[in-house]
Amino acid sequence: MSTPPSPPTLVLGLESSCDETAAAVVEDGVRVRANVIASQHDLHAEYRGVVPEIASRAHAERLLPVVRRALAEAGVSLAEIDAVAVGCRPGLIGALLVGVAAAKALALALDKPIIGVDHVHAHLYAGLLDAPPDTSTATPLPALGLVVSGGHTSIYLVRDWRTPQRLGATIDDAVGEAYDKVGAILGLPFPGGPMVDRLAQRGSPKGRTFPVSLPGDGPDALDFSFSGLKTAVLYAAVGVPGRGQSPPPDASHLAESAKADLCASFQHAAVDAIVRRLRQAAALHPEARTLLVGGGVSANSRLRQELTRLAQAQGLALRLPAMPYCLDNAAMLAGLGHHLLAARGFASDPLTLTATPTTALA
Ligand code: KG4
Ligand code: ZN
């Protein structure tokens, strides 16, 4: 007699590390039943950056309505949830604590296991969500991983999901932060990344070559630096301080075509740095069979093209997230949470689980 198929496992994910309040329901670690994201961009736009106290308060107001919507979209009740996964590091501490406190309360009330998940590791998992049937069952590990977001720019070697090993990271600005600052220099709406991407598609990188900064020496130097590139864009846009009259505060006066060319040149240099480091990482780790990519900047059109080309050349299977899973979301936390829980027989973290502002480093 054949054994009946086991029912799917449903994990509720919660995300509150920065300026997105999100909840998701994910089935068996890969199939996204609901992915609800309440962005706070409008609350922070006038400050041109995330204000931690405003973010925490907005998470506290929005988290439960977002959870209710995710459950409704997934067509499940709280009682049908098998476990709760919550982003517990890294991020703004007050913001993280809202999600962690809510997740603990839910787990306690439902008597279901809870797991704290590293937000950066979860970005690496995002490309495995809703993957086509032919790829979803293939084992992606060992893999190289790239996280490119507003707070992180890092390369990983992922042999197992519990302890991804960080091979290199930015020594100053994250690439998304550089995109946002270029957007601010050019007087574009916050966050600047998507608009810089759009303008760059209309411009030419030929007019101006910006430096590609790769700090450190030797084939195993895999760190990044983007602050020099950002300053180079500033000087190109508004002039070098001390030369001539005082420069204008931003470059909103420039013609659209000049802005587009600056965006294209900046994007060319930023993407080039990432691709060169990944090529080095692939040479150092020929055992990697997959390239996992995640974080807000993985939505970038040029980066997606160049990563596709690189993966083909290196013989790596590329797992680029679908657009809704590039930016901060809770589905990636639920997906990775499922994986980590399954590996330990769905044993719960203790309810002393807390939030930590820094990432876990292997
Ligand atoms: O992963 P994410 O939502 O939040 C963090 O964990 O930081 O990433 C947000 C970042 C912002 O800096 C935003 O400008 C950038 O991702 N971003 C982009 C694009 N879409 C979002 N950067 C470049 N091109 C894009 N298309
Ligand atoms: Zn993120």
Side-chain angles (χ1 to χ4, degrees):
M1 208 171 71
S2 63
T3 46
S6 50
T9 302
L10 295 174
V11 176
L12 172 70
L14 303 183
E15 153 65 26
S16 69
S17 66
C18 190
D19 59 345
E20 262 97 26
T21 315
V25 178
V26 175
E27 185 180 309
D28 293 336
V30 286
R31 200 166 91 72
V32 181
R33 297 269 296 259
N35 183 41
V36 177
I37 303 172
S39 168
Q40 303 177 5
H41 289 172
D42 52 330
L43 300 182
H44 304 284
E46 69 173 290
Y47 307 101
R48 291 200 160 273
V50 178
V51 183
E53 186 57 26
I54 294 177
S56 311
R57 281 166 186 259
H59 286 309
E61 285 165 12
R62 297 174 182 196
L63 194 57
L64 290 183
V66 163
V67 168
R68 272 188 215 110
R69 243 179 71 203
L71 292 169
E73 282 183 21
V76 295
S77 67
L78 260 184
E80 289 171 276
I81 293 296
D82 296 296
V84 182
V86 60
C88 67
R89 63 174 182 261
L92 302 170
I93 189 68
L96 285 168
L97 280 169
V98 175
V100 170
K104 288 202 283 192
L106 283 169
L108 184 65
L110 298 170
D111 193 23
K112 296 285 162 68
I114 182 175
I115 184 158
V117 178
D118 185 294
H119 175 99
V120 179
H121 297 172
H123 271 308
L124 292 171
Y125 191 90
L128 305 180
L129 295 168
D130 279 347
D134 58 323
T135 55
S136 61
T137 49
T139 304
L141 307 184
L144 285 177
L146 172 72
V147 177
V148 276
S149 73
H152 300 272
T153 307
S154 310
I155 295 182
Y156 285 84
L157 178 64
V158 189
R159 289 198 187 90
D160 68 84
W161 283 112
R162 229 171 31 80
T163 51
Q165 183 192 347
R166 200 169 82 175
L167 304 175
T170 183
I171 60 168
D172 42 53
D173 290 354
V175 65
E177 195 180 344
Y179 265 94
D180 294 342
K181 285 180 178 161
V182 167
I185 292 166
L186 298 178
L188 306 175
F190 173 83
M195 192 69 173
V196 170
D197 183 5
R198 230 169 295 145
L199 269 179
Q201 291 170 38
R202 281 189 254 141
S204 161
K206 297 264 159 54
R208 192 181 293 269
T209 307
F210 287 126
V212 177
S213 174
L214 298 171
D217 292 321
D220 56 353
L222 292 173
D223 286 341
F224 296 97
S225 166
F226 292 101
S227 81
L229 173 59
K230 172 195 71 188
T231 308
V233 176
L234 176 69
Y235 290 174
V238 300
V240 180
R243 289 198 199 150
Q245 292 131 359
S246 52
D250 67 33
S252 44
H253 62 285
L254 287 179
E256 280 298 290
S257 63
K259 286 185 188 176
D261 287 351
L262 279 175
C263 289
S265 299
F266 160 75
Q267 181 156 282
H268 191 272
V271 171
D272 201 19
I274 293 167
V275 169
R276 285 201 212 180
R277 284 309 200 208
L278 281 174
R279 203 175 290 129
Q280 265 176 266
L284 286 169
H285 295 285
E287 72 275 25
R289 57 173 83 169
T290 312
L291 176 56
L292 303 165
V293 183
V297 185
S298 63
N300 183 267
S301 57
R302 183 176 171 89
L303 183 64
R304 291 175 86 90
Q305 277 166 12
E306 291 300 315
L307 291 179
T308 305
R309 207 169 296 169
L310 175 82
Q312 261 164 13
Q314 301 288 337
L316 292 164
L318 180 61
R319 295 286 176 267
L320 272 177
M323 286 297 170
Y325 312 134
C326 289
L327 294 166
D328 284 348
N329 67 86
M332 64 185 191
L333 294 159
L336 180 54
H338 175 277
H339 215 88
L340 295 170
L341 278 166
R344 64 188 204 199
F346 275 78
S348 180
D349 275 343
L351 282 176
T352 49
L353 172 72
T354 191
T356 316
T358 50
T359 192
L361 281 184

